[in-house]
PDB file of all heavy atoms in Angstrom:
ATOM      1  N   ASP R   1       0.808  -1.179   0.020  1.00 88.00           N
ATOM      2  CA  ASP R   1       0.005  -0.024   0.009  1.00 88.00           C
ATOM      3  C   ASP R   1       0.870   1.172   0.021  1.00 88.00           C
ATOM      4  O   ASP R   1       0.569   2.212  -0.675  1.00 88.00           O
ATOM      5  CB  ASP R   1      -1.005  -0.016   1.107  1.00 88.00           C
ATOM      6  CG  ASP R   1      -0.315  -0.180   2.540  1.00 88.00           C
ATOM      7  OD1 ASP R   1       0.803  -0.666   2.611  1.00 88.00           O
ATOM      8  OD2 ASP R   1      -0.967   0.176   3.580  1.00 88.00           O
ATOM      9  N   ARG R   2       1.984   1.247   0.781  1.00 90.00           N
ATOM     10  CA  ARG R   2       2.848   2.409   0.732  1.00 90.00           C
ATOM     11  C   ARG R   2       3.566   2.586  -0.556  1.00 90.00           C
ATOM     12  O   ARG R   2       3.703   3.669  -1.112  1.00 90.00           O
ATOM     13  CB  ARG R   2       3.881   2.254   1.872  1.00 90.00           C
ATOM     14  CG  ARG R   2       4.676   3.505   2.143  1.00 90.00           C
ATOM     15  CD  ARG R   2       5.595   3.411   3.284  1.00 90.00           C
ATOM     16  NE  ARG R   2       4.996   2.875   4.484  1.00 90.00           N
ATOM     17  CZ  ARG R   2       5.673   2.428   5.483  1.00 90.00           C
ATOM     18  NH1 ARG R   2       6.944   2.469   5.584  1.00 90.00           N
ATOM     19  NH2 ARG R   2       5.058   2.010   6.584  1.00 90.00           N
ATOM     20  N   LEU R   3       3.942   1.462  -1.172  1.00 87.00           N
ATOM     21  CA  LEU R   3       4.595   1.464  -2.511  1.00 87.00           C
ATOM     22  C   LEU R   3       3.656   2.099  -3.534  1.00 87.00           C
ATOM     23  O   LEU R   3       4.072   2.908  -4.336  1.00 87.00           O
ATOM     24  CB  LEU R   3       5.013   0.064  -2.961  1.00 87.00           C
ATOM     25  CG  LEU R   3       5.565  -0.066  -4.327  1.00 87.00           C
ATOM     26  CD1 LEU R   3       6.845   0.689  -4.480  1.00 87.00           C
ATOM     27  CD2 LEU R   3       5.673  -1.544  -4.698  1.00 87.00           C
ATOM     28  N   LEU R   4       2.393   1.625  -3.565  1.00 90.00           N
ATOM     29  CA  LEU R   4       1.399   2.150  -4.474  1.00 90.00           C
ATOM     30  C   LEU R   4       1.113   3.624  -4.377  1.00 90.00           C
ATOM     31  O   LEU R   4       0.937   4.326  -5.241  1.00 90.00           O
ATOM     32  CB  LEU R   4       0.177   1.328  -4.424  1.00 90.00           C
ATOM     33  CG  LEU R   4       0.305  -0.116  -4.846  1.00 90.00           C
ATOM     34  CD1 LEU R   4      -0.899  -0.956  -4.445  1.00 90.00           C
ATOM     35  CD2 LEU R   4       0.483  -0.179  -6.409  1.00 90.00           C
ATOM     36  N   THR R   5       1.038   4.036  -3.031  1.00 92.00           N
ATOM     37  CA  THR R   5       0.856   5.500  -2.801  1.00 92.00           C
ATOM     38  C   THR R   5       2.029   6.353  -3.377  1.00 92.00           C
ATOM     39  O   THR R   5       1.812   7.379  -3.996  1.00 92.00           O
ATOM     40  CB  THR R   5       0.785   5.757  -1.245  1.00 92.00           C
ATOM     41  OG1 THR R   5      -0.327   4.923  -0.683  1.00 92.00           O
ATOM     42  CG2 THR R   5       0.536   7.227  -0.942  1.00 92.00           C
ATOM     43  N   LYS R   6       3.212   5.827  -3.142  1.00 90.00           N
ATOM     44  CA  LYS R   6       4.431   6.581  -3.767  1.00 90.00           C
ATOM     45  C   LYS R   6       4.415   6.563  -5.255  1.00 90.00           C
ATOM     46  O   LYS R   6       4.677   7.489  -5.924  1.00 90.00           O
ATOM     47  CB  LYS R   6       5.683   5.989  -3.151  1.00 90.00           C
ATOM     48  CG  LYS R   6       5.851   6.338  -1.758  1.00 90.00           C
ATOM     49  CD  LYS R   6       7.208   5.983  -1.230  1.00 90.00           C
ATOM     50  CE  LYS R   6       7.293   6.406   0.194  1.00 90.00           C
ATOM     51  NZ  LYS R   6       8.683   6.911   0.546  1.00 90.00           N
ATOM     52  N   VAL R   7       4.070   5.434  -5.865  1.00 89.00           N
ATOM     53  CA  VAL R   7       3.994   5.307  -7.332  1.00 89.00           C
ATOM     54  C   VAL R   7       2.941   6.241  -7.878  1.00 89.00           C
ATOM     55  O   VAL R   7       3.150   7.011  -8.895  1.00 89.00           O
ATOM     56  CB  VAL R   7       3.680   3.866  -7.865  1.00 89.00           C
ATOM     57  CG1 VAL R   7       3.425   3.876  -9.261  1.00 89.00           C
ATOM     58  CG2 VAL R   7       4.846   2.971  -7.483  1.00 89.00           C
ATOM     59  N   ALA R   8       1.810   6.369  -7.211  1.00 91.00           N
ATOM     60  CA  ALA R   8       0.706   7.233  -7.653  1.00 91.00           C
ATOM     61  C   ALA R   8       1.162   8.715  -7.545  1.00 91.00           C
ATOM     62  O   ALA R   8       0.747   9.550  -8.411  1.00 91.00           O
ATOM     63  CB  ALA R   8      -0.519   7.036  -6.802  1.00 91.00           C
ATOM     64  N   ALA R   9       1.966   9.019  -6.645  1.00 91.00           N
ATOM     65  CA  ALA R   9       2.401  10.389  -6.389  1.00 91.00           C
ATOM     66  C   ALA R   9       3.490  10.821  -7.421  1.00 91.00           C
ATOM     67  O   ALA R   9       3.806  12.052  -7.495  1.00 91.00           O
ATOM     68  CB  ALA R   9       3.012  10.537  -5.010  1.00 91.00           C
ATOM     69  N   THR R  10       3.940   9.894  -8.296  1.00 89.00           N
ATOM     70  CA  THR R  10       4.970  10.240  -9.195  1.00 89.00           C
ATOM     71  C   THR R  10       4.416  10.746 -10.602  1.00 89.00           C
ATOM     72  O   THR R  10       5.192  11.055 -11.488  1.00 89.00           O
ATOM     73  CB  THR R  10       5.949   9.072  -9.493  1.00 89.00           C
ATOM     74  OG1 THR R  10       5.110   8.048 -10.159  1.00 89.00           O
ATOM     75  CG2 THR R  10       6.638   8.607  -8.269  1.00 89.00           C
ATOM     76  N   GLY R  11       3.064  10.810 -10.658  1.00 88.00           N
ATOM     77  CA  GLY R  11       2.548  11.282 -11.901  1.00 88.00           C
ATOM     78  C   GLY R  11       2.157  10.297 -12.796  1.00 88.00           C
ATOM     79  O   GLY R  11       1.742  10.413 -14.058  1.00 88.00           O
ATOM     80  N   VAL R  12       2.213   8.996 -12.424  1.00 91.00           N
ATOM     81  CA  VAL R  12       1.815   7.828 -13.281  1.00 91.00           C
ATOM     82  C   VAL R  12       0.299   7.752 -13.473  1.00 91.00           C
ATOM     83  O   VAL R  12      -0.383   8.149 -12.557  1.00 91.00           O
ATOM     84  CB  VAL R  12       2.357   6.545 -12.603  1.00 91.00           C
ATOM     85  CG1 VAL R  12       1.788   5.350 -13.330  1.00 91.00           C
ATOM     86  CG2 VAL R  12       3.831   6.473 -12.570  1.00 91.00           C
ATOM     87  N   ASP R  13      -0.081   7.387 -14.579  1.00 92.00           N
ATOM     88  CA  ASP R  13      -1.521   7.205 -14.914  1.00 92.00           C
ATOM     89  C   ASP R  13      -2.212   6.339 -13.886  1.00 92.00           C
ATOM     90  O   ASP R  13      -1.668   5.287 -13.564  1.00 92.00           O
ATOM     91  CB  ASP R  13      -1.739   6.706 -16.291  1.00 92.00           C
ATOM     92  CG  ASP R  13      -3.141   6.623 -16.742  1.00 92.00           C
ATOM     93  OD1 ASP R  13      -3.903   5.746 -16.228  1.00 92.00           O
ATOM     94  OD2 ASP R  13      -3.583   7.493 -17.505  1.00 92.00           O
ATOM     95  N   LEU R  14      -3.290   6.831 -13.284  1.00 93.00           N
ATOM     96  CA  LEU R  14      -3.975   5.981 -12.200  1.00 93.00           C
ATOM     97  C   LEU R  14      -4.363   4.626 -12.653  1.00 93.00           C
ATOM     98  O   LEU R  14      -4.323   3.683 -11.850  1.00 93.00           O
ATOM     99  CB  LEU R  14      -5.233   6.792 -11.805  1.00 93.00           C
ATOM    100  CG  LEU R  14      -5.895   6.318 -10.495  1.00 93.00           C
ATOM    101  CD1 LEU R  14      -4.842   6.256  -9.325  1.00 93.00           C
ATOM    102  CD2 LEU R  14      -7.075   7.150 -10.100  1.00 93.00           C
ATOM    103  N   ARG R  15      -4.688   4.439 -13.921  1.00 93.00           N
ATOM    104  CA  ARG R  15      -5.002   3.038 -14.347  1.00 93.00           C
ATOM    105  C   ARG R  15      -3.845   2.128 -14.266  1.00 93.00           C
ATOM    106  O   ARG R  15      -4.012   0.961 -13.962  1.00 93.00           O
ATOM    107  CB  ARG R  15      -5.516   3.067 -15.837  1.00 93.00           C
ATOM    108  CG  ARG R  15      -6.814   3.776 -16.071  1.00 93.00           C
ATOM    109  CD  ARG R  15      -7.168   3.938 -17.465  1.00 93.00           C
ATOM    110  NE  ARG R  15      -6.167   4.823 -18.065  1.00 93.00           N
ATOM    111  CZ  ARG R  15      -6.206   5.218 -19.333  1.00 93.00           C
ATOM    112  NH1 ARG R  15      -7.114   4.902 -20.136  1.00 93.00           N
ATOM    113  NH2 ARG R  15      -5.315   6.078 -19.842  1.00 93.00           N
ATOM    114  N   THR R  16      -2.656   2.681 -14.392  1.00 92.00           N
ATOM    115  CA  THR R  16      -1.396   1.823 -14.249  1.00 92.00           C
ATOM    116  C   THR R  16      -1.248   1.452 -12.763  1.00 92.00           C
ATOM    117  O   THR R  16      -0.826   0.315 -12.397  1.00 92.00           O
ATOM    118  CB  THR R  16      -0.122   2.621 -14.808  1.00 92.00           C
ATOM    119  OG1 THR R  16      -0.321   3.003 -16.104  1.00 92.00           O
ATOM    120  CG2 THR R  16       1.088   1.755 -14.626  1.00 92.00           C
ATOM    121  N   VAL R  17      -1.531   2.443 -11.855  1.00 93.00           N
ATOM    122  CA  VAL R  17      -1.420   2.119 -10.453  1.00 93.00           C
ATOM    123  C   VAL R  17      -2.337   1.035 -10.054  1.00 93.00           C
ATOM    124  O   VAL R  17      -2.029   0.112  -9.338  1.00 93.00           O
ATOM    125  CB  VAL R  17      -1.623   3.454  -9.596  1.00 93.00           C
ATOM    126  CG1 VAL R  17      -1.602   3.141  -8.139  1.00 93.00           C
ATOM    127  CG2 VAL R  17      -0.520   4.526  -9.950  1.00 93.00           C
ATOM    128  N   VAL R  18      -3.627   1.111 -10.560  1.00 92.00           N
ATOM    129  CA  VAL R  18      -4.569   0.102 -10.287  1.00 92.00           C
ATOM    130  C   VAL R  18      -4.141  -1.269 -10.814  1.00 92.00           C
ATOM    131  O   VAL R  18      -4.261  -2.270 -10.165  1.00 92.00           O
ATOM    132  CB  VAL R  18      -6.001   0.472 -10.880  1.00 92.00           C
ATOM    133  CG1 VAL R  18      -7.000  -0.622 -10.794  1.00 92.00           C
ATOM    134  CG2 VAL R  18      -6.531   1.706 -10.203  1.00 92.00           C
ATOM    135  N   TRP R  19      -3.503  -1.331 -12.022  1.00 88.00           N
ATOM    136  CA  TRP R  19      -2.970  -2.486 -12.592  1.00 88.00           C
ATOM    137  C   TRP R  19      -1.975  -3.146 -11.675  1.00 88.00           C
ATOM    138  O   TRP R  19      -2.009  -4.361 -11.444  1.00 88.00           O
ATOM    139  CB  TRP R  19      -2.430  -2.365 -14.089  1.00 88.00           C
ATOM    140  CG  TRP R  19      -2.086  -3.615 -14.648  1.00 88.00           C
ATOM    141  CD1 TRP R  19      -2.928  -4.365 -15.497  1.00 88.00           C
ATOM    142  CD2 TRP R  19      -0.837  -4.279 -14.589  1.00 88.00           C
ATOM    143  NE1 TRP R  19      -2.277  -5.502 -15.883  1.00 88.00           N
ATOM    144  CE2 TRP R  19      -1.051  -5.472 -15.349  1.00 88.00           C
ATOM    145  CE3 TRP R  19       0.248  -4.024 -14.006  1.00 88.00           C
ATOM    146  CZ2 TRP R  19      -0.020  -6.411 -15.497  1.00 88.00           C
ATOM    147  CZ3 TRP R  19       1.315  -4.991 -14.077  1.00 88.00           C
ATOM    148  CH2 TRP R  19       1.232  -6.156 -14.845  1.00 88.00           C
ATOM    149  N   VAL R  20      -1.006  -2.323 -11.200  1.00 87.00           N
ATOM    150  CA  VAL R  20       0.066  -2.800 -10.360  1.00 87.00           C
ATOM    151  C   VAL R  20      -0.545  -3.303  -9.087  1.00 87.00           C
ATOM    152  O   VAL R  20      -0.138  -4.390  -8.553  1.00 87.00           O
ATOM    153  CB  VAL R  20       1.140  -1.698 -10.123  1.00 87.00           C
ATOM    154  CG1 VAL R  20       2.041  -2.186  -9.071  1.00 87.00           C
ATOM    155  CG2 VAL R  20       1.764  -1.283 -11.451  1.00 87.00           C
ATOM    156  N   LYS R  21      -1.536  -2.594  -8.573  1.00 89.00           N
ATOM    157  CA  LYS R  21      -2.192  -3.056  -7.306  1.00 89.00           C
ATOM    158  C   LYS R  21      -2.820  -4.393  -7.538  1.00 89.00           C
ATOM    159  O   LYS R  21      -2.594  -5.357  -6.654  1.00 89.00           O
ATOM    160  CB  LYS R  21      -3.314  -2.090  -6.891  1.00 89.00           C
ATOM    161  CG  LYS R  21      -4.035  -2.473  -5.680  1.00 89.00           C
ATOM    162  CD  LYS R  21      -5.116  -1.407  -5.384  1.00 89.00           C
ATOM    163  CE  LYS R  21      -5.922  -1.819  -4.158  1.00 89.00           C
ATOM    164  NZ  LYS R  21      -6.995  -0.860  -3.928  1.00 89.00           N
ATOM    165  N   GLU R  22      -3.556  -4.560  -8.584  1.00 88.00           N
ATOM    166  CA  GLU R  22      -4.237  -5.870  -8.798  1.00 88.00           C
ATOM    167  C   GLU R  22      -3.134  -6.964  -9.060  1.00 88.00           C
ATOM    168  O   GLU R  22      -3.375  -8.131  -8.700  1.00 88.00           O
ATOM    169  CB  GLU R  22      -5.104  -5.765  -9.993  1.00 88.00           C
ATOM    170  CG  GLU R  22      -6.380  -4.907  -9.766  1.00 88.00           C
ATOM    171  CD  GLU R  22      -7.259  -5.340  -8.675  1.00 88.00           C
ATOM    172  OE1 GLU R  22      -7.438  -6.510  -8.563  1.00 88.00           O
ATOM    173  OE2 GLU R  22      -7.772  -4.464  -7.913  1.00 88.00           O
ATOM    174  N   PHE R  23      -2.093  -6.588  -9.642  1.00 83.00           N
ATOM    175  CA  PHE R  23      -0.980  -7.552  -9.979  1.00 83.00           C
ATOM    176  C   PHE R  23      -0.332  -8.060  -8.642  1.00 83.00           C
ATOM    177  O   PHE R  23       0.001  -9.156  -8.490  1.00 83.00           O
ATOM    178  CB  PHE R  23       0.030  -6.916 -10.835  1.00 83.00           C
ATOM    179  CG  PHE R  23       1.153  -7.779 -11.257  1.00 83.00           C
ATOM    180  CD1 PHE R  23       0.962  -8.741 -12.283  1.00 83.00           C
ATOM    181  CD2 PHE R  23       2.426  -7.826 -10.646  1.00 83.00           C
ATOM    182  CE1 PHE R  23       1.990  -9.654 -12.718  1.00 83.00           C
ATOM    183  CE2 PHE R  23       3.405  -8.603 -10.950  1.00 83.00           C
ATOM    184  CZ  PHE R  23       3.251  -9.530 -12.027  1.00 83.00           C
ATOM    185  N   LEU R  24      -0.234  -7.120  -7.655  1.00 79.00           N
ATOM    186  CA  LEU R  24       0.494  -7.435  -6.429  1.00 79.00           C
ATOM    187  C   LEU R  24      -0.340  -8.183  -5.404  1.00 79.00           C
ATOM    188  O   LEU R  24       0.111  -8.974  -4.679  1.00 79.00           O
ATOM    189  CB  LEU R  24       1.151  -6.196  -5.842  1.00 79.00           C
ATOM    190  CG  LEU R  24       2.304  -5.521  -6.503  1.00 79.00           C
ATOM    191  CD1 LEU R  24       2.623  -4.300  -5.846  1.00 79.00           C
ATOM    192  CD2 LEU R  24       3.401  -6.432  -6.602  1.00 79.00           C
TER     193      LEU R  24
END
């Protein structure tokens, strides 16, 4: 959850963050 929060804060498209979340 902390990793995903940091990834989202870097300007990555939110759909990518959701994909990574579902992957992990």
Side-chain angles (χ1 to χ4, degrees):
D1 56 339
R2 192 176 309 167
L3 173 67
L4 292 167
T5 300
K6 289 189 176 217
V7 168
T10 64
V12 171
D13 185 283
L14 192 55
R15 292 173 295 185
T16 304
V17 177
V18 170
W19 188 91
V20 172
K21 177 182 178 182
E22 294 298 321
F23 183 79
L24 291 174

